[in-house]
Amino acid sequence: QVQLVESGGGLVQAGDSLRLSCAASGRTFSTYVMGWFRQAPGKEREFVAAISRNGGGKNYAESVKGRFTISRDNGKNTVYLQMNSLKPEDTAIYYCAADHTFLVRTTQEAYDYWGQGTQVTVSS
């Protein structure tokens, strides 16, 4: 079992940057595909980005391509989401998730473990 704890959220202005971190417990972090999802008020939770077990494969939602970068450090059991050029529509609770398969998938049903989320608010 994996426990996930997100951090790094906050209140920023449009155009600013933030880096989210997700720390995982356990010694098997490198065997999980990791993903970031977000949920805005009144909306469904949606896929943001995902990264393969060794970091070589990545997948992004169209809405964040070119602005967000997902990365991982298996030695530190941590996955990151670097968010640049933030927009008000990026305001949401951001969740990290772990998938025990090797596929880099975009659907939340594929992920087995979830963190509690961290709030990101972007003011205009």
Side-chain angles (χ1 to χ4, degrees):
Q1 191 163 352
V2 177
Q3 291 186 322
L4 305 172
V5 179
E6 301 96 336
S7 62
L11 171 63
V12 296
Q13 294 187 328
D16 285 350
S17 297
L18 272 179
R19 188 176 80 155
L20 304 182
S21 300
C22 173
S25 65
R27 293 178 289 179
T28 60
F29 177 74
S30 62
T31 66
Y32 289 89
V33 168
M34 299 299 297
W36 285 97
F37 292 76
R38 67 186 182 187
Q39 187 167 20
K43 294 189 175 181
E44 300 273 326
R45 188 157 57 183
E46 65 176 4
F47 169 76
V48 176
I51 188 167
S52 64
R53 294 182 292 186
N54 66 0
K58 301 177 184 180
N59 200 344
Y60 295 95
E62 286 297 324
S63 59
V64 306
K65 274 184 182 177
R67 299 189 299 122
F68 290 11
T69 302
I70 189 171
S71 62
R72 67 190 297 163
D73 185 336
N74 287 343
K76 295 182 178 180
N77 282 12
T78 302
V79 62
Y80 304 97
L81 186 68
Q82 177 66 44
M83 306 186 295
N84 299 330
S85 303
L86 282 161
K87 305 175 181 180
E89 50 264 44
D90 294 318
T91 294
I93 299 174
Y94 282 72
Y95 300 90
C96 74
D99 177 1
H100 74 283
T101 72
F102 65 91
L103 300 170
V104 182
R105 297 186 285 186
T106 64
T107 57
Q108 55 183 314
E109 293 77 14
Y111 289 79
D112 307 292
Y113 304 103
W114 292 82
Q116 293 299 306
T118 185
Q119 177 71 49
V120 172
T121 304
V122 185
S123 63
S124 57

